[in-house]
């Protein structure tokens, strides 16, 4: 194992009140300069290592389904590759998440790297929260590129104010969620927003029900993105309503009992720091 001194990401970030308003009203926002390019560059090899462990021999893109073509997904790096912990447990990031949600404290749901490979496909429209057996809508995901993004790849696209729609019934991320949401956007004539090509250390945040997608990667370089999901401290586990929620309950919520507060060993409270 490499012995590298990784930066401590604890200095607080002075959050623009417009970002809080944007999350409240549109379900997403961008926060520029949340990490420095140097901080991202320090963690990138560790996060890359975690992705390589999850995907030692990725199958050819052509052999994968739409979801598989969208990115290499490597979850809970914090647990399997401890060098990533300084990034995932960052009080700076968790503090921003709490502020954006307007809650006192947040716990980790899980982290995941989403590396869209060269030639990788579009990320279909979907909602995240239908995977999560929790009784709160105060859940937010940070999506942070670890290098400057090529404008041809860009960041995510959000359907404005869709966090207020709740579950639109599009189901898990797939061609079918994509088609269902495309149809409803066309019918509803609703606005979408992308925050464009972000620099390393900029981040978008979106709420659990916010409908979102991302473009393909037509470049010859991988798009390395790290994501972290937090929920309001005090949220309770709900009865799982699908095989996906059963998986999440067992995997991310330590098989906790429905009705109890979600505070398992994989869900440390990251804000306020202890
Ligand atoms: O990175 C992507 O292409 C999509 C990410 C996403 O859907 C998410 O972070 O919820």
């Amino acid at each position: 194992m490499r012995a590298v001194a990784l930066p401590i990401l604890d200095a607080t970030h002075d959050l623009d009140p417009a970002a809080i308003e944007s999350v409240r009203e549109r379900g997403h926002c961008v926060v520029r300069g949340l990490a420095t390019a140097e901080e991202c560059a320090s963690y990138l090899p560790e996060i890359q290592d975690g992705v390589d462990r999850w995907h030692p021999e990725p199958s050819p893109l052509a052999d994968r389904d739409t979801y598989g073509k969208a990115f290499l997904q490597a979850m809970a790096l914090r647990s399997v590759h401890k060098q990533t912990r300084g990034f995932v447990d960052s009080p700076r990031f968790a503090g921003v998440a709490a502020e954006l949600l307007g809650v006192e404290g947040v716990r980790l749901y899980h982290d995941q790297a989403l590396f869209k490979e060269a030639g990788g496909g579009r990320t279909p429209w979907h909602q995240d929260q239908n995977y999560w057996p929790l009784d709160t809508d105060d859940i937010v995901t940070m999506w942070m590129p670890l290098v400057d993004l090529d404008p041809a790849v860009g960041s995510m696209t959000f359907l404005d104010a869709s966090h207020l729609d709740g579950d639109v019934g599009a189901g898990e991320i797939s061609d079918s969620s994509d088609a269902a949401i495309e149809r409803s956007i066309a019918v509803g004539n609703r606005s979408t927003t992308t925050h464009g090509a972000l620099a390393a250390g900029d981040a978008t945040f979106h709420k659990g029900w916010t409908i979102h997608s991302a473009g393909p990667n037509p470049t010859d370089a991988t798009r390395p993105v790290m994501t972290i999901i937090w929920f309001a401290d005090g949220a309770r586990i709900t009865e799982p309503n699908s095989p996906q929620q059963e998986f999440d309950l067992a995997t991310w919520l330590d098989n906790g009992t429905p009705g109890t507060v979600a505070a398992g060993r994989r869900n440390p409270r990251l804000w306020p720091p202890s």
Side-chain angles (χ1 to χ4, degrees), residues 101-103 105-107 109 128-130 132-140 163 207-209 229-238 245 253 260 262:
L101 291 175
V103 299
V106 291
R107 288 182 179 272
Y109 190 67
D128 298 330
Q129 192 157 333
N130 51 30
W132 302 335
L134 288 173
D135 73 349
T136 181
D137 288 350
D138 286 329
I139 312 182
V140 72
H163 63 307
K207 291 200 73 180
W209 289 122
I229 304 160
W230 304 265
F231 60 90
D233 189 18
R236 286 174 189 275
I237 297 172
T238 53
Q245 287 205 356
L253 297 170
T260 63

Side-chain angles (χ1 to χ4, degrees), residues 70-71 112 114 116 123 126 128 141-143 156 173 206 212-215 223 225 227:
F71 37 66
Q112 59 181 344
L114 298 174
K116 198 181 278 283
T123 306
H126 66 283
D128 298 330
T141 300
M142 179 187 86
W143 186 98
M156 280 193 287
I173 177 170
H206 64 276
H212 56 284
S213 66
R223 180 213 72 182
V225 161
T227 69

